[in-house]
Amino acid sequence: MKLWGGRFTKETNQLVHNFNASISYDQKFYKQDILGSIAHVTMLAKQNILTEEEKDAIVDGLQSILRDIENGTLLITPEHEDIHSFVEATLIERIGDAGKKLHTGRSRNDQVALDMKLYTRDEIAALNDLLKDLLSVIHRLMSEHIETFMPGFTHLQKAQPVTLAHHLGAYFEMFRRDRSRLRDIYDRMNYCPLGAGALAGTTYPLDREYSASLLKFDGPTWNSMDSVSDRDYLIELLSALSTIMMHMSRFCEEIILWNSNEYRFVEIDDSYSTGSSIMPQKKNPDIAELVRGKTGRVYGALISLLTTMKGIPLAYNKDMQEDKELTFDAIDTVKGCLALFTGMIDTMKFNEAVMAASAKRGFTNATDAADYLVNHGVPFRDAHGIIGQLVLLCIDKNISLDELPLEEYKKISSVFDEDIYEAISMKTCVEKRNTIGAPGKDAMAQIISANEKYLQES
């Protein structure tokens, strides 16, 4: 069944039908289509456009369709152009002429716009839950590793000592912002397009506020042309999903490096690793690599939709049908990546001793050694040069600043004394940094407490 045809004298060419049809993918929101239709006919009855008997028959029929799809006794079949025609045709088969009144005061344009918004709302809620699960795991790891010392990096070179809790805290902030972005998108998109018609509203006395309230929207959209042609919320969502993937990809890149023989900072659990078909010693970080790789796939969806929308005049155009496959695939990709990524880091083991040794060997305490001289009256620029000479000496001897004998310190500057070793210990270097956001134990305890409250309240 097609929702149009009276104007046409020939059957649609099969290739044209196949090219035009969207049921292969828009069947994904059968539930949203049915719930939107139930709200629509409930409003029509309230406005005396349908009788109560007609409304009840349609609602009962729609509920039976939903029930049968979900229990597997009704299959969505490809001869229908889209999910909307499938539902309407099935309804008419089941309840007769009353079903033909389902579409009163409605166009496929506002129907599609409604279904996509309802679906997107549901998926934003699911994505938000997955992000919260990830944040909960990061929070646990931060709590456990507040005194796990490791090198902090700039330019992928060891810079200053931090803790694993501090390093993971950077990702906590990223994923917290991702949740905030999803909340913003939800709030901005949560206006109901139902009743906008094809583009110019309808002559029926619809109560759009009532329809919106039934479907838990904040209200109706304010311009019928924009209602059916707006895809901003999908572009925003794909941008937010791209950012989530970028954050995971950055973390995955570090895990891949940390998992290597050269770093040995982490060991990925066997259940999240794979082996080689030829090299028996291999244990590959495939999940991390796949998340990193799939980031480009989500970026592609964003660029595709932006490109599709850039030249479309008002109001609805068939080009917009391209939004669905792109968005569905991006959402499914991000949800899958979030679940696997969370499981991977939740089961990952951190080699604390190796991390601490790496921080020492990387001269990450060099800045603190310079600060030691400054605190003893040496101008900073002179102190910088003195410590640079000591680093060169340590490199030549293949030792760390902690291992350099005091007499070698004194050969370069008489200011040094025994307390230099306490001043440049990893514990001292980290724990004296206690401004908000720094890696010191007191500062991190404050942040972890705030994160705990955030997770409980959000």
Side-chain angles (χ1 to χ4, degrees):
M1 170 190 167
K2 291 184 172 62
L3 301 182
W4 48 272
R7 155 74 174 81
F8 291 78
T9 58
K10 291 183 179 180
E11 286 295 316
T12 306
N13 178 285
Q14 188 60 43
L15 289 174
V16 172
H17 171 83
N18 294 344
F19 190 66
N20 190 56
S22 58
I23 196 165
S24 64
Y25 48 86
D26 70 14
Q27 62 179 277
K28 189 181 275 279
F29 48 54
Y30 69 86
K31 183 177 181 179
Q32 288 79 14
D33 192 74
I34 291 171
L35 295 177
S37 291
I38 289 173
H40 180 62
V41 297
T42 301
M43 180 275 297
L44 291 177
K46 173 182 174 292
Q47 297 301 99
N48 297 315
I49 299 168
L50 294 181
T51 67
E52 284 296 317
E53 292 76 16
E54 289 169 331
K55 183 261 288 183
D56 290 343
I58 292 172
V59 170
D60 288 346
L62 289 169
Q63 289 175 338
S64 75
I65 292 169
L66 177 59
R67 185 168 55 250
D68 290 348
I69 291 173
E70 294 194 330
N71 66 27
T73 58
L74 176 62
L75 298 178
I76 299 172
T77 48
E79 69 267 15
H80 297 276
E81 184 179 354
D82 51 37
I83 190 60
H84 325 296
S85 55
F86 170 81
V87 170
E88 189 170 334
T90 306
L91 180 68
I92 293 168
E93 283 177 15
R94 293 190 174 193
I95 70 169
D97 285 349
K100 296 178 181 178
K101 297 188 177 184
L102 170 65
H103 211 52
T104 306
R106 186 174 70 174
S107 164
R108 257 195 310 183
N109 291 359
D110 59 339
Q111 185 179 5
V112 168
L114 173 68
D115 290 0
M116 198 62 182
K117 278 198 169 184
L118 291 173
Y119 178 83
T120 302
R121 266 192 349 190
D122 291 343
E123 292 302 308
I124 285 175
L127 286 159
N128 181 63
D129 288 344
L130 286 166
L131 281 168
K132 185 173 182 179
D133 291 343
L134 173 55
L135 284 167
S136 296
V137 170
I138 294 174
H139 173 68
R140 176 183 65 77
L141 292 172
M142 288 174 68
S143 301
E144 292 172 359
H145 292 285
I146 200 167
E147 293 187 272
T148 300
F149 303 119
M150 64 173 290
F153 296 85
T154 61
H155 309 281
L156 205 57
Q157 297 183 67
K158 296 171 187 177
Q160 290 180 300
V162 295
T163 63
L164 181 56
H166 189 240
H167 192 106
L168 293 171
Y171 287 104
F172 192 100
E173 295 304 311
M174 294 181 209
F175 293 119
R176 188 214 302 263
R177 291 194 296 270
D178 288 328
R179 289 187 81 201
S180 176
R181 268 184 281 273
L182 290 178
R183 179 76 258 175
D184 289 346
I185 294 165
Y186 188 103
D187 290 343
R188 208 164 17 253
M189 67 168 281
N190 200 36
Y191 292 87
C192 183
L194 193 58
L199 79 160
T202 176
T203 58
Y204 292 97
L206 307 183
D207 186 341
R208 294 193 62 212
E209 287 83 2
Y210 181 65
S211 299
S213 68
L214 289 175
L215 293 165
K216 295 182 171 54
F217 284 99
D218 294 332
T221 51
W222 282 15
N223 183 284
S224 57
M225 294 181 77
D226 180 60
S227 301
V228 299
S229 62
D230 167 36
R231 296 298 182 271
D232 287 5
Y233 68 97
L234 294 179
I235 290 169
E236 287 188 68
L237 177 61
L238 290 174
S239 177
L241 295 181
S242 295
T243 305
I244 292 170
M245 289 300 295
M246 178 266 288
H247 290 155
M248 278 195 288
S249 185
R250 292 182 72 181
F251 204 161
C252 283
E253 174 69 10
E254 292 192 322
I255 289 168
I256 291 163
L257 290 170
W258 292 357
N259 184 68
S260 67
N261 291 333
E262 285 69 25
Y263 276 82
R264 295 184 297 111
F265 282 8
V266 300
E267 182 179 352
I268 299 173
D269 191 79
D270 286 357
S271 60
Y272 288 90
S273 304
T274 63
S276 166
S277 63
I278 189 173
M279 295 170 284
Q281 82 280 12
K282 294 293 290 297
K283 184 177 177 182
N284 299 326
D286 281 8
I287 298 303
E289 290 172 354
L290 281 169
V291 171
R292 185 176 61 180
K294 287 180 183 292
T295 300
R297 181 177 184 142
V298 177
Y299 287 4
L302 171 61
I303 297 302
S304 292
L305 187 55
L306 282 167
T307 305
T308 296
M309 293 301 298
K310 74 176 183 62
I312 296 181
L314 290 173
Y316 181 78
N317 295 266
K318 196 70 171 183
D319 316 44
M320 294 179 187
Q321 186 168 287
E322 287 295 294
D323 66 348
K324 294 172 190 60
E325 285 183 286
L326 296 168
T327 303
F328 295 160
D329 183 75
I331 289 171
D332 290 345
T333 298
V334 176
K335 286 168 67 178
C337 287
L338 279 169
L340 285 166
F341 180 80
T342 300
M344 178 180 67
I345 68 166
D346 191 31
T347 56
M348 201 160 57
K349 297 292 189 294
F350 294 92
N351 297 323
E352 300 176 26
V354 174
M355 288 179 154
S358 179
K360 287 183 180 180
R361 287 288 180 176
F363 304 106
T364 59
N365 50 1
T367 301
D368 295 86
D371 289 342
Y372 172 91
L373 291 173
V374 170
N375 290 331
H376 286 75
V378 179
F380 178 77
R381 189 53 55 205
D382 292 341
H384 188 285
I386 290 167
I387 301 304
Q389 293 177 60
L390 288 168
V391 167
L392 277 175
L393 180 61
C394 288
I395 291 172
D396 185 56
K397 293 177 176 290
N398 194 29
I399 57 175
S400 68
L401 285 170
D402 309 66
E403 298 166 318
L404 187 68
L406 182 60
E407 57 265 26
E408 297 290 350
Y409 276 98
K410 286 186 170 294
K411 285 179 184 177
I412 295 178
S413 174
S414 61
V415 172
F416 288 113
D417 210 334
E418 285 288 350
D419 61 347
I420 180 59
Y421 298 107
E422 172 63 22
I424 64 172
S425 73
M426 290 296 112
K427 186 177 178 66
T428 301
C429 290
V430 170
E431 293 193 354
K432 70 183 180 183
R433 287 174 162 82
N434 268 311
T435 53
I436 293 173
K441 187 175 181 180
D442 292 342
M444 284 307 308
Q446 184 179 353
I447 295 300
I448 288 170
S449 176
N451 290 347
E452 177 78 28
K453 184 178 179 182
Y454 162 76
L455 289 170
Q456 288 174 353
E457 294 177 350
S458 63

